[in-house]
Amino acid sequence: MDALVMCGGRGTRLNADVEKPLYEIAGEPMVDAVITALEESRVERTVAVVSPHTPETARHLDSLPHIETPGEGYVEDLGYALSRVLKPVLTVAADLPLLTGEVLNAVLDAYDGDSLTVCVPAALKYRLGVSADLTFDHEGQAVAPTGVNIVAPSTSETMYLAADPRLAVNVNRPTDAQISEAWR
């Protein structure tokens, strides 16, 4: 299966002078940690999805195939990229610096032919002290999407719920970055 790494975000909530994918955690750009995790997984090919907001990231990832989106927002850019690849495809946000190949392989193992939304319990995010910008109820439990999904050709969807901190830490704010630093 191929993977799309979503690298188009400005990172304005990080208050940094660098594009979000290039924001460093433990001295390494977040996107590099994600690329390493993908290389360590069973993913066959990785494609960087960039936008006009991330020209430095596009240059940084010049060894990878690219899809350049219009930069209209995460959901819009994801849809743009998905319309240009074969499915199924793994999608991964570039702001998950704790990912590992092992974690991604567990997601790949959970894939059963339906689109797969990967979530963590919201309580895990709260316990870790990281931001939880979006939560929703799933079978009586508050859950949060992780930024990792598998998009299948079918319209059916399933959820993979993982209580793994490596999926729970999306770096959106300076406090998220500090927590990531402590884990690395």
Side-chain angles (χ1 to χ4, degrees):
M1 184 178 303
D2 290 347
L4 298 177
V5 179
M6 300 301 295
C7 307
R10 293 181 187 148
T12 54
R13 293 176 288 181
L14 278 170
N15 301 319
D17 293 333
V18 65
E19 296 169 8
K20 185 176 185 181
L22 299 178
Y23 189 91
E24 291 189 0
I25 301 295
E28 177 183 36
M30 289 191 292
V31 71
D32 288 359
V34 170
I35 298 297
T36 297
L38 287 162
E39 289 170 346
E40 293 172 349
S41 76
R42 293 190 313 272
V43 164
E44 295 169 19
R45 180 177 77 121
T46 299
V47 177
V49 180
V50 296
S51 78
H53 309 297
T54 56
E56 294 298 319
T57 301
R59 282 190 282 283
H60 180 77
L61 299 174
D62 67 350
S63 65
L64 293 178
H66 287 70
I67 295 173
E68 179 149 352
T69 68
E72 296 174 355
Y74 185 88
V75 172
E76 295 83 357
D77 289 354
L78 178 60
Y80 183 92
L82 288 171
S83 71
R84 285 154 175 77
V85 297
L86 295 175
K87 296 166 193 77
V89 65
L90 177 73
T91 65
V92 182
D95 64 358
L96 294 163
L98 303 182
L99 275 185
T100 65
E102 173 191 17
V103 169
L104 292 172
N105 284 338
V107 170
L108 294 171
D109 289 343
Y111 174 67
D112 66 359
D114 293 335
S115 289
L116 187 68
T117 301
V118 181
C119 294
V120 294
L124 174 61
K125 287 179 103 38
Y126 302 141
R127 189 169 58 252
L128 294 171
V130 295
S131 60
D133 294 331
L134 173 65
T135 63
F136 59 93
D137 182 77
H138 176 71
E139 299 178 357
Q141 179 179 15
V143 299
T146 63
V148 176
N149 300 285
I150 295 178
V151 179
S154 74
T155 57
S156 300
E157 276 187 56
T158 59
M159 180 185 293
Y160 174 61
L161 185 62
D164 191 325
R166 296 171 293 185
L167 284 165
V169 181
N170 296 74
V171 177
N172 291 311
R173 295 180 173 77
T175 53
D176 300 333
Q178 292 168 351
I179 290 164
S180 289
E181 289 271 350
W183 279 81
R184 293 260 330 210

